[in-house]
Amino acid sequence: MLGIPLFDLAWLMVALLAAGAITGLLAGVFGVGGGAVAVPILYELFRILEVPEEVRMPLCVGTSLAIIIPTSLRSFSAHKAKGAVDMTILRVWAVPVVLGVVVGSVIARYAPADLFKTVFVVVAGISAIRLLFGKDTWRFGLDMPAKPIMIAYGWLIGILSALMGIGGGQLSNLFMTFYNRPIHQAVATSSGLGLLISIPGAIGYIYAGWPHMADYPNVVAFQLPLALGYVSLLGFVLFIPTSTWMAPVGARLAHRLSKRRLEVAFGIFLLLVCARFAASLVT
């Protein structure tokens, strides 16, 4: 099937279902959409499916954004039910974040594949350093900054998230904790950004990838009915069941457990992913 031995395809499907569960768990625990997990796994999937390097990374990013939609919805609903979401911050960020996603999607239509990897390496690397070595004394201020700074940062979150295929949780968590917000509130509020980013982002990547499908008529994984532009329906369908199932579980854990060990594990994972993409950039 798809030019892959059935035994290998079966293991691939199991791996994607497992990855979906991890993605959902991280979405709930850290308030992230899980794109940092989904993108590298999808990258290996599309490599096996022989998707050309020129479109492989944007296909990973677009698919990740589509996967984040239901995962973020369940994660946000679970956090909101506990009253932990700061809706004031989400209202300030809503418009600039969506505008940033639109800009990022337009960039995706014309950008070389290496740009996506570079953005992922830089942002994920900074997040990993914060997770592994960050201290409570790392502060920019004791309260959230003025509205113009919030708007500018929201716009930046939108652009970077659209280019990385993430729900923005890593970036908003960093920002809120640097301004003295409790980590549990930062996680809960960040979960709401996933919806603001993933829906317009996925639509934008369908638009960005649609004209490129005609350039690769022999790449089955990049053609209908397995893909819509830069969104792989194969990856989407296999990720969704377990990711949506585990997101509420992660949200419950986030309000019960100390996350230090999980932060260390996630930070190490991000560093490994950074090394993987950095190596492909060099070679």
Side-chain angles (χ1 to χ4, degrees), residues 16 40 76 89 109 122 125 134 137 166 185 189 242 246 262 273:
L16 285 170
F76 175 66
I89 293 177
R109 181 163 185 165
V122 172
T137 54
I166 63 174
Q185 186 185 73
T189 305
T242 50
M246 288 299 292
L262 288 173
V273 172

Side-chain angles (χ1 to χ4, degrees), residues 213-226:
M213 295 173 71
D215 298 333
Y216 303 92
N218 297 323
V219 181
V220 178
F222 192 44
Q223 300 297 320
L224 290 169
L226 296 183

Side-chain angles (χ1 to χ4, degrees), residues 3 67 80 82 189 206 254-255:
I67 290 168
K80 194 170 187 295
K82 293 182 178 293
T189 305
I206 291 173
H255 292 275

